Amino acid sequence: MLHVGAVVLVTLLLAGVVLPAAGTAAQDTSGGGADSPNARQAQTDANATDTDGDGLSDSRERSVYGTDPTDADTDGDGYPDGMEVRCEQAVPGADPLRADIYVEVDSTQSATLSDSVRTSVIDTFDSAPVSNPDGSSGIDFHLVRDEINLSVNGTVYSKPHAGPGNDIYDFRANHSEHRSDGYYYVLVTENVAYNGEEYFVGAGRPQVAAMERFDSTRITASLFMHEFGHAMGFGAHRDGIDEKRYSRAEYDSVMNYNGLYKQLTYSNGTDSVGRNEWQFVAENRTQPEVQCAANGTCTDRCSKD
Ligand SMILES: [Ca+2]
Ligand SMILES: [Ca+2]
Ligand SMILES: [Ca+2]
Ligand SMILES: [Ca+2]
């Protein structure tokens, strides 16, 4: 009986093998066999499918870049995967598996931010307590020093102000080379006014900032971090920001007026105020819109995948 049963089982397995063959035979009669040109085209199309519309095919995302074929922005930094790997001229040095932030800095003065200020800011972001899809921590901060000696009409206001060349939006509109690529814009200038008050030395609004420049690297870098915090969306209405009510121990951030000029970093949420500002930077910051997407609208600065 055991022997007979084995024979029956083998027969069933054979039948199982035969059934797909019958299906193939049926396909052959309609001209769509596995080796037909139509079938090869279907295979090519499957490889070329770009499910998330980021400009990279699903298969290239899986096999070449290690990015997520169902997420257009795998590392969540606002730059689509395709832009990060294909648009070197727009976002040089971008990594689709690590957070990148780009900022363009112009100046109305003969000098701009110094190498030491730039390095201080880059190092601060590189040390940020945030994690990336590639397993690293930190943020790559790309501070691009662009024009100097821009013409200015006296004080630079932080809000739209009548007349040419005297508010931060005039400068961004007329001089930003990279706005459509999702760059923040910072202007270094002689005199800044915030809410019309000229005793301020810097001002930040969503996506933009203006600041004065000092001989001290620490003071200038700290002021940059503070105003750039506003540009990323740290509003003065939040508890402790632009205030002196908390000590540095209670609120350990450059956004605290007690921390301004003394430190560079934002809070990590372990102080008594308990707001993780670095997490906000990584996940919820205000980001200039990327108009030069990876799917062909900036082909002059993007290579083919
Ligand atoms: Ca894709
Ligand atoms: Ca993707
Ligand atoms: Ca990205
Ligand atoms: Ca990135």
Side-chain angles (χ1 to χ4, degrees):
M1 290 296 290
L2 283 173
H3 179 74
V4 173
V7 170
V8 171
L9 183 59
V10 167
T11 304
L12 287 173
L13 284 171
L14 286 172
V17 171
V18 168
L19 284 173
T24 302
Q27 270 193 332
D28 282 342
T29 60
S30 63
D35 293 320
S36 75
N38 286 348
R40 279 198 296 274
Q41 183 63 45
Q43 187 68 27
T44 303
D45 289 344
N47 284 337
T49 298
D50 179 7
T51 299
D52 56 14
D54 63 3
L56 303 177
S57 67
D58 292 4
S59 61
R60 298 274 285 171
E61 293 216 53
R62 288 196 191 91
S63 63
V64 179
Y65 304 114
T67 47
D68 185 344
T70 65
D71 185 345
D73 181 9
T74 299
D75 59 12
D77 63 2
Y79 305 100
D81 293 343
M83 183 181 189
E84 297 211 46
V85 303
R86 293 175 49 211
C87 306
E88 177 69 15
Q89 281 184 274
V91 283
D95 184 333
L97 298 175
R98 182 174 162 84
D100 295 278
I101 292 176
Y102 288 83
V103 55
E104 173 182 350
V105 178
D106 281 344
S107 176
T108 66
Q109 301 177 298
S110 58
T112 184
L113 297 180
S114 67
D115 288 348
S116 56
V117 167
R118 181 173 178 272
T119 300
S120 296
V121 169
I122 289 172
D123 288 350
T124 302
F125 276 88
D126 190 55
S127 303
V130 298
S131 58
N132 294 292
D134 67 359
S136 67
S137 62
I139 296 170
D140 282 343
F141 196 80
H142 307 263
L143 195 160
V144 178
R145 290 172 296 195
D146 197 43
E147 291 169 283
I148 59 171
N149 287 323
L150 291 178
S151 168
V152 61
N153 184 18
T155 296
V156 173
Y157 292 84
S158 63
K159 285 182 175 176
H161 197 84
N166 63 0
D167 70 60
I168 185 61
Y169 299 100
D170 291 338
F171 283 90
R172 182 174 65 166
N174 295 328
H175 301 290
S176 174
E177 315 293 327
H178 302 287
R179 182 181 176 186
S180 66
D181 297 332
Y183 284 45
Y184 292 85
Y185 187 77
V186 173
L187 182 72
V188 174
T189 192
E190 192 71 25
N191 290 303
V192 174
Y194 176 72
N195 285 345
E197 301 286 357
E198 297 202 28
Y199 61 82
F200 285 94
V201 293
R205 300 277 185 192
Q207 307 178 20
V208 298
M211 59 179 284
E212 298 175 16
R213 188 175 52 84
F214 299 88
D215 290 339
S216 160
T217 292
R218 176 174 51 83
I219 287 175
T220 307
S222 185
L223 180 60
F224 179 96
M225 292 298 296
H226 180 94
E227 303 305 350
F228 198 76
H230 288 311
M232 292 191 294
F234 292 141
H237 61 282
R238 287 194 173 86
D239 192 27
I241 290 180
D242 288 355
E243 295 176 343
K244 286 194 162 186
R245 60 192 287 198
Y246 297 113
S247 69
R248 290 176 66 190
E250 291 168 321
Y251 175 36
D252 189 16
S253 172
V254 69
M255 303 310 295
N256 179 352
Y257 276 160
N258 285 319
L260 178 60
Y261 305 136
K262 299 183 180 72
Q263 66 184 75
L264 298 177
T265 195
Y266 307 117
S267 61
N268 61 12
T270 59
D271 52 31
S272 56
V273 167
R275 183 172 54 238
N276 191 336
E277 292 177 336
W278 278 115
Q279 185 179 28
F280 175 87
V281 168
E283 298 176 4
N284 300 108
R285 70 178 178 276
T286 302
Q287 174 85 9
E289 184 186 358
V290 175
Q291 294 158 345
C292 174
N295 54 13
T297 57
C298 62
T299 49
D300 57 323
R301 282 163 296 160
C302 301
S303 62
K304 289 205 181 319
D305 177 36

